[in-house]
Amino acid sequence: MKANSKTAKRKRTFQPSPIDKKQFILPLLMCFVGLGFNIGGTTAVRTFDMPFYFDTAGTILISFMGGYVPGIMVGVATSLIKCIGDINAIYYAPVSICIALVTVYLHRKGWLKTFRNIVLYTCLITTIAAVLGGELSWLVEDNPEEIFAGGAVGVLRYWLIEFCDKAMSVAFTCVMLYLIPDRVRKKFELTLWMQDNSVDQKELEEAAHNKNYRHPLKRKIVVALGIVSVAIAFICAVTCVELYRKFMIDQQSRIGQSVARIAASFVDGDMVDRYLDEGEAFRSYQETDANLTKLLENSEQIAYIYVYKVMSDGCHVVFDVDTEEEQGANLGDVISFDEAFMEYLPDLLAGKEIQPVISNDKYGNLLTCYIPIYNSDGECVCYAAADISMDNLNIYRKSFLIRLITIFVSFWILVLAIGLWLAKYHLILPINAMAKVTDEFDYTDEYARKRNLQNMRRLQIKTGDEVERMYWALVTTIEESTCYFEQSKQQTEKVNKMQEGLLMVLADVVENRDESTGSHVRKTAAYVEITIKKMRSLGYYKEELTEELAHNTIRSAPLHDIGKIAIPDAILNKPDRLTDEEFAIMKSHAAEGRTIIERAIETMPDVGYLAEARNLAGYHHEKWNGTGYPEGLAGEEIPLSARIMAVADVFDALVSRRAYKEPFSYEKAFSIIKEDAGTHFDPYVADAFLKASDEVVIVADRFAE
């Protein structure tokens, strides 16, 4: 409960940080200035009737100073404002956008710092403007051929004019950049930096392009925005084109029906039979034919005008006005029904009015409007028809689609740039900042853990949304984890001390039963520690004798004789030498000790030092030559910890007083250890023990006193 109360006090109520509006003021003012340069330049060249545009100078300047979003915004806004005087200006926005994109990219790559590269850059944007602008002119202008008049010479002249225009814009930009100091210029860059200023933005941007991420967040956002926007644009484009097509058909149908009605007014329904019988000899026929011819000549959108008498065997020609390209059918000719009219045939034979019909036959793709002609009795005697070519409609629809795509591309790039800009500063950079700090976390010591928290707090992410909330939740989690880590470390240290104390108590219990051993467990533990340190300094068993093994061996050394707890007091404390039977029982303490430790391991499997305690207890009486007990292991079959304990155990037994012997001198004991190296003892362990003899003697003297 106490820990929970402390945790509750550390909880931070999330309050979104307000966005610093100062970050937007200067960049927006800069955009207006760039827009003013573009519009002012265009107005100036038009006033003096110069063959230039000078409408990209502001775009180039703002792209240098502000980045992608301001450059694109200025380019699109320039085209929108120019639409007031020239509606086609909006279709050239992609040219300005491409120039802005190229400018920012090359500038950030550091390629525009020499005169040579600036000239090449000018040629590049000139080519973009000439090629892309020329193609757009060809697609959307009414008289595109004027742009490329004169063939190759005309194209070269057009490119040179563009080059001069872009060269003036680049020169203007260079002058402005020279006059504006770098420290002032940086204030105009449109950013939305949401972190503390001490965080290196470039370093985070490099982390965002880490190749270890197969699908980085930026790419996912681009793909998502791209797919969604293109899908929406496709649906809108199809809908708009279809609506435009229907609108144009309706408009053309009204025109065709109006012309057909006028043609029908020229024909006297009561005279149709005489027209068919007498033909051109009939004066009224000649007058009517002349009127129909004038009507066709005055109707630009009408391809054909004719009058048919519809009968069951086909359409009988009454009038068919000649055109410049084709002569009309002769009077009385029978025209077979086109397949497109078959569904309307019953209504035509009945003299009813039908809706305009679209057909595609030998005369082309036509929209036909039929208007019935009645006699004085109200009977339909024939039909006046006007054909409108649908080829023009297809051309208009194609032009409309191209204009629509051009506008979409312009605003799609603008929206994509703004979306990526917001994602970069609200998602990518803040998340990378947190990831970078967490990747560098160090848990080695208390100072390192506190430094982790300080580094995370230093970010000070202020997006004002869920990302900031996640940041503060992460800070709180790290703070709590640091506190819990320290508490856990303290508890672990207490447990370790308690375990060590219990080990010594248990060792003392065993030792107190053996009245002849004195401080044997403490002395041997000290000898083991001295030997291990010397072995590591000499490089003996470097790979095997790790820090962990050394620690566990020293810690568990007092338990090496734990098996003696199972030996009867009569044998353990016998004042004379043991008989063979008694010695056999005494030797069983090694196996008994191993069994006791194994039982402890079953209850505490995660306590690593118990594994070495088992080795020490079970094998410290094994000999290097294989003549030891309880299993007769030899050489490196014997665990290293037990081989170390063997030397310490024998040395202490030699220099200690026993009921059946006097203590040996240190010199005699060391000489025995040396003689038995390679037979009883591991030669490397014995060598390290002997080379640390001064320290061993100090320990032995201290306990003797």
Side-chain angles (χ1 to χ4, degrees):
M1 295 298 294
K2 291 182 179 180
N4 291 336
S5 63
K6 291 180 180 179
T7 302
K9 291 180 181 179
R10 287 196 294 270
K11 295 291 184 182
R12 179 184 188 273
T13 303
F14 174 71
Q15 296 180 349
S17 302
I19 296 177
D20 185 7
K21 296 181 180 179
K22 295 180 180 179
Q23 296 183 83
F24 298 95
I25 296 176
L26 288 178
L28 288 178
L29 288 176
M30 176 189 63
C31 290
F32 282 112
V33 172
L35 186 61
F37 285 147
N38 284 347
I39 301 302
T42 301
T43 304
V45 297
R46 286 182 178 177
T47 302
F48 294 101
D49 196 23
M50 299 172 65
F52 304 117
Y53 308 103
F54 206 64
D55 58 351
T56 56
T59 303
I60 295 173
L61 176 63
I62 302 309
S63 298
F64 264 98
M65 297 179 60
Y68 287 108
V69 174
I72 295 172
M73 289 176 61
V74 171
V76 173
T78 300
S79 297
L80 288 173
I81 293 176
K82 288 174 65 178
C83 280
I84 299 174
D86 180 10
I87 191 62
N88 288 328
I90 185 61
Y91 306 122
Y92 294 94
V95 178
S96 298
I97 291 174
C98 288
I99 291 175
L101 293 175
V102 170
T103 301
V104 177
Y105 179 79
L106 295 180
H107 172 58
R108 291 187 174 178
K109 289 292 183 180
W111 292 346
L112 300 179
K113 295 182 179 180
T114 64
F115 178 77
R116 174 179 173 273
N117 288 347
I118 291 176
V119 172
L120 292 176
Y121 159 73
T122 306
C123 293
L124 176 60
I125 63 174
T126 299
T127 304
I128 292 173
V131 174
L132 185 57
E135 289 294 329
L136 291 173
S137 298
W138 185 269
L139 294 171
V140 304
E141 293 285 357
D142 295 331
N143 298 308
E145 64 276 1
E146 294 181 1
I147 297 176
F148 303 105
V153 176
V155 172
L156 179 60
R157 177 178 176 275
Y158 178 67
W159 190 90
L160 289 175
I161 292 175
E162 285 284 356
F163 179 80
C164 293
D165 177 72
K166 299 303 178 288
M168 289 189 297
S169 299
V170 172
F172 170 79
T173 301
C174 291
V175 172
M176 294 298 296
L177 293 177
Y178 177 78
L179 296 176
I180 301 175
D182 289 341
R183 58 183 179 82
V184 176
R185 195 188 310 166
K186 290 181 180 179
K187 296 181 179 179
F188 288 91
E189 185 175 359
L190 182 59
T191 62
L192 199 60
W193 187 238
M194 294 296 181
Q195 285 71 245
D196 187 82
N197 290 328
S198 60
V199 181
D200 189 353
Q201 180 177 346
K202 291 184 177 179
E203 188 175 351
L204 294 181
E205 288 178 346
E206 291 177 358
H209 294 86
N210 193 331
K211 295 181 179 179
N212 294 328
Y213 303 125
R214 296 182 60 188
H215 303 289
L217 182 60
K218 183 178 181 180
R219 186 185 302 170
K220 292 179 181 178
I221 294 173
V222 171
V223 172
L225 284 177
I227 292 176
V228 172
S229 57
V230 169
I232 294 174
F234 176 77
I235 295 172
C236 293
V238 171
T239 304
C240 290
V241 170
E242 184 60 24
L243 291 174
Y244 179 77
R245 176 179 173 276
K246 290 182 178 180
F247 169 77
M248 291 298 296
I249 290 176
D250 292 342
Q251 187 180 44
Q252 298 290 356
S253 297
R254 286 194 294 269
I255 294 173
Q257 288 175 333
S258 298
V259 173
R261 283 192 175 89
I262 296 173
S265 68
F266 291 156
V267 180
D268 188 348
D270 294 328
M271 297 294 180
V272 170
D273 291 334
R274 290 190 63 184
Y275 292 157
L276 291 171
D277 292 339
E278 301 180 19
E280 297 180 359
F282 189 28
R283 183 177 179 182
S284 176
Y285 181 89
Q286 296 176 1
E287 292 176 352
T288 302
D289 186 63
N291 289 333
L292 293 175
T293 300
K294 290 181 180 178
L295 178 61
L296 179 61
E297 292 174 352
N298 293 326
S299 303
E300 295 181 359
Q301 295 177 306
I302 305 300
Y304 305 106
I305 293 178
Y306 49 89
V307 178
Y308 287 167
K309 183 175 184 179
V310 180
M311 301 179 71
S312 59
D313 60 342
C315 298
H316 293 251
V317 177
V318 181
F319 294 96
D320 193 353
V321 180
D322 298 334
T323 63
E324 295 180 359
E325 296 82 11
E326 190 172 351
Q327 185 176 357
N330 296 322
L331 175 65
D333 288 349
V334 179
I335 308 297
S336 60
F337 295 112
D338 189 89
E339 190 173 345
F341 289 86
M342 295 305 293
E343 62 175 303
Y344 302 103
L345 186 56
D347 291 337
L348 291 172
L349 292 173
K352 297 180 180 179
E353 186 171 352
I354 64 173
Q355 294 296 321
V357 178
I358 297 176
S359 62
N360 191 2
D361 55 16
K362 64 179 181 179
Y363 298 105
N365 193 6
L366 301 174
L367 173 68
T368 302
C369 299
Y370 272 52
I371 298 296
I373 299 174
Y374 301 97
N375 59 18
S376 56
D377 295 330
E379 298 175 350
C380 177
V381 293
C382 61
Y383 285 88
D387 286 345
I388 299 176
S389 175
M390 294 293 289
D391 293 336
N392 291 333
L393 176 60
N394 292 333
I395 293 173
Y396 296 150
R397 185 171 60 178
K398 179 181 177 182
S399 177
F400 175 76
L401 180 60
I402 291 172
R403 294 166 188 256
L404 192 66
I405 292 174
T406 303
I407 295 175
F408 161 73
V409 168
S410 301
F411 286 94
W412 177 73
I413 294 176
L414 177 61
V415 171
L416 188 63
I418 294 175
L420 289 176
W421 171 68
L422 291 173
K424 174 181 178 181
Y425 291 103
H426 271 266
L427 288 174
I428 298 172
L429 292 183
I431 291 175
N432 271 313
M434 289 185 281
K436 181 178 180 297
V437 171
T438 53
D439 286 343
E440 296 173 352
F441 274 6
D442 183 8
Y443 298 95
T444 54
D445 52 42
E446 181 180 357
Y447 174 75
R449 291 188 289 273
K450 289 182 179 180
R451 186 171 64 247
N452 296 340
L453 180 60
Q454 292 174 355
N455 291 339
M456 184 60 71
R457 284 187 173 278
R458 184 172 59 88
L459 294 180
Q460 289 297 309
I461 293 174
K462 302 175 182 178
T463 59
D465 53 23
E466 290 81 359
V467 174
E468 183 180 351
R469 186 186 187 97
M470 179 178 69
Y471 164 72
W472 284 111
L474 183 59
V475 170
T476 303
T477 301
I478 295 172
E479 181 180 4
E480 293 175 354
S481 299
T482 301
C483 294
Y484 288 141
F485 196 102
E486 294 304 317
Q487 293 176 4
S488 176
K489 182 181 177 182
Q490 293 174 3
Q491 293 296 328
T492 301
E493 291 176 352
K494 290 180 180 179
V495 170
N496 289 337
K497 290 180 179 180
M498 181 180 67
Q499 289 179 344
E500 291 175 358
L502 289 175
L503 288 177
M504 294 308 300
V505 169
L506 184 59
D508 286 341
V509 169
V510 175
E511 188 173 65
N512 289 335
R513 289 189 66 241
D514 189 349
E515 298 174 355
S516 65
T517 56
S519 300
H520 175 68
V521 294
R522 286 178 171 78
K523 289 187 287 181
T524 53
Y527 299 152
V528 165
E529 183 174 2
I530 292 171
T531 305
I532 287 176
K533 289 181 178 179
K534 196 62 176 180
M535 289 176 66
R536 297 193 72 184
S537 67
L538 294 172
Y540 294 162
Y541 297 108
K542 184 175 182 181
E543 294 182 359
E544 187 177 353
L545 190 56
T546 62
E547 183 72 32
E548 181 181 5
L549 178 63
H551 174 75
N552 290 338
T553 301
I554 295 169
R555 190 176 183 188
S556 58
L559 295 178
H560 74 282
D561 274 339
I562 188 69
K564 287 184 177 181
I565 200 169
I567 305 302
D569 289 344
I571 296 175
L572 187 65
N573 295 313
K574 185 178 180 179
D576 299 321
R577 286 186 175 274
L578 300 176
T579 66
D580 292 342
E581 293 78 7
E582 292 171 337
F583 185 66
I585 296 173
M586 176 63 77
K587 289 196 298 183
S588 67
H589 81 276
E592 289 291 342
R594 182 179 61 190
T595 302
I596 292 170
I597 301 299
E598 286 175 347
R599 291 174 182 171
I601 291 176
E602 291 177 358
T603 60
M604 296 184 293
D606 295 331
V607 181
Y609 69 85
L610 286 181
E612 294 309 318
R614 176 185 57 192
N615 291 334
L616 289 170
Y619 305 109
H620 69 282
H621 284 294
E622 298 284 358
K623 296 183 180 181
W624 184 257
N625 60 7
T627 60
Y629 63 87
E631 296 183 8
L633 301 179
E636 294 188 5
E637 292 178 351
I638 307 168
L640 179 59
S641 57
R643 303 201 303 265
I644 296 172
M645 175 54 71
V647 176
D649 188 49
V650 170
F651 178 81
D652 187 61
L654 292 173
V655 300
S656 299
R657 184 183 301 278
R658 295 290 186 265
Y660 53 85
K661 76 170 188 71
E662 293 297 319
F664 288 12
S665 66
Y666 295 149
E667 292 77 8
K668 179 62 176 177
F670 285 130
S671 66
I672 293 173
I673 296 295
K674 184 176 181 180
E675 290 174 3
D676 289 346
T679 55
H680 188 164
F681 309 116
D682 182 331
Y684 289 105
V685 175
D687 182 66
F689 183 83
L690 294 172
K691 288 181 177 179
S693 58
D694 292 342
E695 298 178 54
V696 172
V697 169
I698 292 173
V699 171
D701 288 340
R702 184 174 73 246
F703 279 97
E705 293 173 359

